[in-house]
Amino acid sequence: MKFMKLGTRPDTFFTENATRSVISDIPSDLVIRINNINFLLHQLQFSLLPKCGLLQRLCSDSEDSNTVTIELHDIPGGEDAFELCAKYCYGITINLSAHNFVFAFCAAKFLRMTEAVEKGNFVLKLESFFNSCILEGWKDSIVTLQTTVKLTEWSENLGIVRRCVDSIVEKILTPPAKVTWSYTYTRKGFNKQQQSVPKDWWTEDISDLDIDLFRCIIIAIKSTYMLPPQLIGEALHVYACRWLPDATKITPPESSVSQTDDVAENHRKIIEIIVTMIPADKGSVSVGFLLRLLSIASHLGASTVTKTELIRRSSLQLEEATVSDLLFPTHSSSNQHYYDIDLVAAVLDSFLLLWRRTSPAPIENSQSMRSIRKVGKLIDTYLQVVARDINLPVSKVLSVAEALPDIARKDHDDLYKGINIYLKEHPELSKADKKRLCRPLDCQKLSPEVRTHAVKNERLPLRTVVQVLFFEQDKGSRANDQRMSAQEQLLSRGKQIPLVRDELSKLQLEQHEQTAPLEGIGKTPAPSESSSRNHQKMKRTDKKIALESEKRVVREEIEEVETKDGGSSGSKINAKKMMKNRSGSDHSRDKSRDR
């Protein structure tokens, strides 16, 4: 960091109570009052008045010629900035740097220490230092810009903010290979001596700035269109990690420490400004970062516009998320569970709304189908994690599980695992809640291994177990029918093949002989081949209707058993026996019909 040293005399200022005086044999004849501090100075014995145009005019207007008292409560920088200017006038050594330049420069301008008053005055020296040292340095420009926060109006009117921002942006746009100035980069595993300058070398340094100044730099960078959106997104990510609270840790709501109103308001301002600066390009920031911002915005009580925009941006990249990205901690005192399911449901609803709008009829193996299947897998895996929360109500689980369309799940194995985990972690769940929890589960989309597990799972409601048994029986009967039909077709084909050629001419001849004598004689026609097929089709339909009726009767009987026995294991055994008896009677009736 650069310094400028002015003056050669030793420091003769001393403070006693609320008075600052200069050690001198000459009595003081000028009193400057700033806030609660009185400066006892001299008018003409030193160069104070000759260098300060404002003090010259104020002293000339004073009626008291012996001791003049002037109040300068509105001087920028206060008493410390005035003391720097006074020491310069007395020739006392002062050190100027990026830390105190803004205060000295604004105070000198206020006191009119310009060339019009005296050649080589304080303002000229400060401007020379600003142009040749501060603006040429990387960290000097950032530190100077940061100090303008305390004198925002003066700094903007004097052009300090604009010139610092231009200097910083110019250095940021420099290709990394040509970066020669010092910078702060504390990423793990990075060695400045052995590696080239990273593209995001500047992000950590500008994260020290106030949010309004940071926004000025980002807007200026975006207006040049010279940096990729991902690099701007990285700068926003670094700034958010630097200033926003870590509200993503899973902690019980009662253990969270409440923030003061001023700190919370500042955090809300930061996150709302950051959201407005996120580049519109998809992928400029990661979905994990967007989801963390959403969790923090919900925690801080940010505006509805901010949260809606974060939900929309997160839903556009939801298929890129991981389960850990969705584990939002709840911060509401009314909720006793750890995970914020409502935020995940909001993001999922936004994703599905956009997906239905852009993909009205998705095709297998299309990008739209892969996207919805990936999100479905993500949500089911997420449910397996949050199901371990002992305070999570069934309604929250269903709000997410039932939001997905049927096409989003190729199978229901992951959904079954989540339901099973929830039932295991909530052993006191009522029978009605168990039925509600299993409502989105489709037993026909379970793999054979999972169906085997479900049949033996005593935590499942009896109705779900019976559905699995029905599906197993129905699937097994269809498979047996298909095998029998295939065998019969093969046997009939094997018998008919040798006779085809021999019988063909014979059949034609017999048909001709039978048809000739009957010409002109009315008779009842034989049933045609199409009518025979229709008869067989109606017969199969009747059998199907009968089977469905039998199933319906069994369901009603099982519900009665379940009501009486309360879903015990014994009722499940009775249900199995009932199923066997019903299937045996169905089989015997089919045989009798065939005879």
Side-chain angles (χ1 to χ4, degrees), residues 7 83 130 149 192 252 254 296 315 321 323 334 407 493 515 522 535 538:
E83 184 173 330
F130 183 54
V149 175
K192 293 183 179 181
E254 60 270 11
I296 297 172
S315 65
V323 175
S334 59
I407 200 173
R493 286 184 181 181
T515 307
H535 179 70
M538 291 176 62

Side-chain angles (χ1 to χ4, degrees), residues 487-501:
Q487 291 177 2
E488 291 175 356
Q489 290 178 2
L490 289 175
L491 289 174
S492 61
R493 286 184 181 181
K495 293 177 181 180
Q496 291 175 0
I497 287 174
L499 301 175
V500 169
R501 294 196 181 108

Side-chain angles (χ1 to χ4, degrees), residues 451-561:
R451 287 200 303 269
T452 303
H453 183 277
V455 171
K456 302 177 182 179
N457 192 349
E458 297 183 355
R459 288 186 287 267
L460 290 176
L462 182 59
R463 174 175 294 182
T464 303
V465 176
V466 172
Q467 289 176 354
V468 176
L469 289 172
F470 269 126
F471 176 72
E472 285 288 340
Q473 183 192 22
D474 190 41
K475 185 176 180 182
S477 62
R478 286 201 306 267
N480 292 331
D481 292 342
Q482 291 175 359
R483 285 196 296 270
M484 291 297 295
S485 177
Q487 291 177 2
E488 291 175 356
Q489 290 178 2
L490 289 175
L491 289 174
S492 61
R493 286 184 181 181
K495 293 177 181 180
Q496 291 175 0
I497 287 174
L499 301 175
V500 169
R501 294 196 181 108
D502 296 338
E503 297 292 333
L504 181 59
S505 58
K506 183 179 178 180
L507 291 172
Q508 291 177 350
L509 181 60
E510 290 178 355
Q511 183 179 5
H512 178 70
E513 291 176 353
Q514 293 175 1
T515 307
L518 297 175
E519 291 180 359
I521 300 176
K523 70 171 185 176
T524 303
S528 63
E529 184 179 359
S530 61
S531 63
S532 178
R533 284 198 300 268
N534 292 335
H535 179 70
Q536 294 177 0
K537 184 176 181 182
M538 291 176 62
K539 188 176 181 180
R540 287 196 299 269
T541 304
D542 293 339
K543 291 173 64 179
K544 184 176 180 181
I545 294 174
L547 180 60
E548 293 295 331
S549 300
E550 289 291 331
K551 289 182 178 180
R552 204 175 305 119
V553 170
V554 172
R555 289 194 188 98
E556 294 175 357
E557 293 175 354
I558 291 173
E559 287 178 355
E560 293 178 0
V561 172

Side-chain angles (χ1 to χ4, degrees), residues 298-463:
S298 177
H299 168 58
L300 297 175
S303 64
T304 304
V305 175
T306 299
K307 290 190 286 188
T308 303
E309 177 64 14
L310 285 172
I311 290 174
R312 185 190 69 84
R313 294 294 300 265
S314 300
S315 65
L316 293 174
Q317 301 175 226
L318 182 58
E319 58 183 295
E320 305 170 7
T322 61
V323 175
S324 60
D325 294 331
L326 298 179
L327 297 179
F328 306 144
T330 184
H331 303 286
S332 175
S333 58
S334 59
N335 296 326
Q336 297 299 321
H337 51 276
Y338 291 167
Y339 301 100
D340 197 338
I341 308 294
D342 296 333
L343 278 184
V344 177
V347 175
L348 179 60
D349 290 342
S350 178
F351 168 81
L352 293 175
L353 181 64
L354 179 64
W355 180 80
R356 292 189 180 98
R357 187 181 304 163
T358 57
S359 308
I363 305 173
E364 193 69 27
N365 295 326
S366 63
Q367 178 60 35
S368 174
M369 181 66 74
R370 289 193 296 269
S371 176
I372 190 66
R373 288 278 171 84
K374 197 170 183 181
V375 171
K377 179 76 173 179
L378 173 67
I379 294 301
D380 287 346
T381 309
Y382 166 77
L383 290 177
Q384 296 176 26
V385 177
V386 300
R388 303 180 188 277
D389 186 352
I390 59 174
N391 294 321
L392 187 65
V394 175
S395 58
K396 298 292 184 181
V397 179
L398 290 176
S399 66
V400 177
E402 293 184 334
L404 287 171
D406 293 338
I407 200 173
R409 295 184 175 100
K410 191 174 183 179
D411 57 65
H412 281 213
D413 289 0
D414 290 328
L415 179 60
Y416 172 82
K417 293 177 184 178
I419 292 175
N420 185 45
I421 293 174
Y422 189 90
L423 292 174
K424 183 178 180 181
E425 298 294 333
H426 302 76
E428 304 299 329
L429 202 63
S430 65
K431 183 175 65 175
D433 285 340
K434 287 184 178 181
K435 290 181 180 180
R436 290 175 56 208
L437 183 65
C438 296
R439 189 170 57 199
L441 188 64
D442 188 353
C443 297
Q444 297 187 18
K445 291 187 177 182
L446 297 177
S447 64
E449 295 80 7
V450 175
R451 287 200 303 269
T452 303
H453 183 277
V455 171
K456 302 177 182 179
N457 192 349
E458 297 183 355
R459 288 186 287 267
L460 290 176
L462 182 59
R463 174 175 294 182

Side-chain angles (χ1 to χ4, degrees), residues 118-155:
E118 184 180 84
K119 296 294 182 181
N121 212 341
F122 197 26
V123 171
L124 179 63
K125 289 181 171 60
L126 290 172
E127 286 181 342
S128 177
F129 175 65
F130 183 54
N131 294 327
S132 61
C133 296
I134 291 179
L135 295 180
E136 293 298 321
W138 166 248
K139 291 184 179 179
D140 297 82
S141 300
I142 294 177
V143 172
T144 301
L145 183 60
Q146 180 66 10
T147 58
T148 61
V149 175
K150 297 181 179 180
L151 298 173
T152 303
E153 186 175 354
W154 274 88
S155 299

Side-chain angles (χ1 to χ4, degrees), residues 118-336:
E118 184 180 84
K119 296 294 182 181
N121 212 341
F122 197 26
V123 171
L124 179 63
K125 289 181 171 60
L126 290 172
E127 286 181 342
S128 177
F129 175 65
F130 183 54
N131 294 327
S132 61
C133 296
I134 291 179
L135 295 180
E136 293 298 321
W138 166 248
K139 291 184 179 179
D140 297 82
S141 300
I142 294 177
V143 172
T144 301
L145 183 60
Q146 180 66 10
T147 58
T148 61
V149 175
K150 297 181 179 180
L151 298 173
T152 303
E153 186 175 354
W154 274 88
S155 299
E156 290 178 351
N157 293 336
L158 296 176
I160 300 175
V161 174
R162 177 184 54 81
R163 294 170 69 183
C164 286
V165 169
D166 292 343
S167 173
I168 293 171
V169 172
E170 181 183 2
K171 293 176 176 62
I172 290 175
L173 298 179
T174 303
K178 297 182 180 179
V179 173
T180 57
W181 44 83
S182 61
Y183 57 91
T184 302
Y185 196 81
T186 59
R187 308 295 174 87
K188 293 182 179 180
F190 180 76
N191 188 345
K192 293 183 179 181
Q193 285 72 29
Q194 298 179 1
Q195 300 184 19
S196 59
V197 176
K199 294 181 179 180
D200 60 341
W201 61 269
W202 48 274
T203 56
E204 293 185 5
D205 286 332
I206 67 171
S207 67
D208 292 332
L209 295 172
D210 179 78
I211 184 61
D212 292 319
L213 298 173
F214 177 78
R215 175 171 54 181
C216 291
I217 292 178
I218 296 299
I219 291 176
I221 294 173
K222 291 174 67 175
S223 64
T224 63
Y225 299 98
M226 293 180 63
L227 294 183
Q230 292 76 12
L231 198 53
I232 297 175
E234 177 63 18
L236 299 177
H237 178 265
V238 172
Y239 193 89
C241 293
R242 169 71 172 80
W243 291 101
L244 292 178
D246 186 6
T248 60
K249 293 182 178 179
I250 306 299
T251 55
E254 60 270 11
S255 65
S256 60
V257 180
S258 59
Q259 297 176 324
T260 62
D261 294 340
D262 293 339
V263 173
E265 181 63 30
N266 184 50
H267 287 162
R268 278 193 294 270
K269 177 182 178 182
I270 290 174
I271 194 170
E272 290 173 358
I273 291 178
I274 286 178
V275 172
T276 60
M277 291 190 294
I278 297 177
D281 308 68
K282 183 180 179 181
S284 58
V285 294
S286 66
V287 64
F289 175 57
L290 290 170
L291 292 171
R292 285 197 300 274
L293 287 181
L294 178 59
S295 177
I296 297 172
S298 177
H299 168 58
L300 297 175
S303 64
T304 304
V305 175
T306 299
K307 290 190 286 188
T308 303
E309 177 64 14
L310 285 172
I311 290 174
R312 185 190 69 84
R313 294 294 300 265
S314 300
S315 65
L316 293 174
Q317 301 175 226
L318 182 58
E319 58 183 295
E320 305 170 7
T322 61
V323 175
S324 60
D325 294 331
L326 298 179
L327 297 179
F328 306 144
T330 184
H331 303 286
S332 175
S333 58
S334 59
N335 296 326
Q336 297 299 321

